[in-house]
Amino acid sequence: MRANIIFHSVSGNLFLIASSIQEALKEEKIDARLYRIEDADLHVLAADRNDVNEYYEDILSLPIATNEKLLSADIIMMGIHSLFGMPSAEMKAFLDKSMPLYEKGLLKGKYFYPFATSAVSYKDALDAIESLENWAHLMGLVSLDWPPYMHKDGLMMPKRPGEEIEYTSRRLASYIKSVFS
């Protein structure tokens, strides 16, 4: 089984959450891979903000998510930061590029799990997750019967990634292993 974890991280929080999920899945002997959403402006933010710069090179070292990465997964996990209750423009552009997969029904039956952060509120993150879930539903993806993870960014600083996400990641990975065993 292969889980492709696709995320758009600016401050590093989603990178840390995705990495925690990947580590927990690997402990359960699940092939889990990280992919980043392309962000042409990340270098500008990294030059101005220490929190962005802290994980900038780690994020850039990851392969860029593509439609092929969606196709190669049994479970597609997507992480977004919420901007006014919506996915970032970069994530939206990635989702828009998946239209050929929709037209051919190529993702039907694969599994899906969303997670999000918000600097504003859990409601803001929940609204963004709803957008991802709408995309997943239209693609024919099957949502895992596990609550989406939402994290208010301020709760993660300065102890990143923190015990909460590590605990949640282990529980999620154990659940996924039990579903697919």
Side-chain angles (χ1 to χ4, degrees), residues 26 97 100 103 133 141 177-178 181:
K26 284 185 171 188
K97 289 177 187 173
E103 291 169 340
E133 288 176 334
L141 295 167
K177 183 177 182 177
S178 73
S181 292

Side-chain angles (χ1 to χ4, degrees), residues 93-112:
F94 173 74
L95 297 175
D96 287 348
K97 289 177 187 173
S98 69
M99 186 62 154
L101 304 179
Y102 166 76
E103 291 169 340
K104 295 177 182 174
L106 296 176
L107 296 182
K108 285 184 179 172
K110 292 181 181 285
Y111 287 85
F112 178 74

Side-chain angles (χ1 to χ4, degrees), residues 32-82:
R33 301 177 189 199
L34 295 180
Y35 299 96
R36 66 182 172 94
I37 296 295
E38 190 168 17
D39 186 340
D41 296 326
L42 191 57
H43 70 285
V44 175
L45 291 170
D48 290 340
R49 291 179 38 193
N50 285 337
D51 62 330
V52 175
N53 193 41
E54 186 175 357
Y55 296 100
Y56 175 74
E57 289 187 18
D58 294 326
I59 293 168
L60 284 187
S61 71
L62 296 172
I64 294 172
T66 63
N67 282 350
E68 290 74 27
K69 302 309 178 196
L70 293 171
L71 288 169
S72 68
D74 299 302
I75 302 171
I76 298 166
M77 304 176 100
M78 287 190 169
I80 57 170
H81 61 275
S82 177

Side-chain angles (χ1 to χ4, degrees), residues 80-154:
I80 57 170
H81 61 275
S82 177
L83 296 172
F84 306 111
M86 297 176 279
S88 64
E90 292 82 1
M91 179 60 85
K92 176 70 168 82
F94 173 74
L95 297 175
D96 287 348
K97 289 177 187 173
S98 69
M99 186 62 154
L101 304 179
Y102 166 76
E103 291 169 340
K104 295 177 182 174
L106 296 176
L107 296 182
K108 285 184 179 172
K110 292 181 181 285
Y111 287 85
F112 178 74
Y113 181 78
F115 56 99
T117 63
S118 172
V120 179
S121 69
Y122 291 110
K123 170 75 167 96
D124 186 50
L126 184 60
D127 289 345
I129 281 176
E130 189 175 322
S131 296
L132 284 181
E133 288 176 334
N134 289 339
W135 170 84
H137 174 74
L138 290 169
M139 288 296 193
L141 295 167
V142 178
S143 291
L144 289 175
D145 190 21
W146 191 262
Y149 181 75
M150 294 167 284
H151 197 92
K152 187 166 181 309
D153 285 348

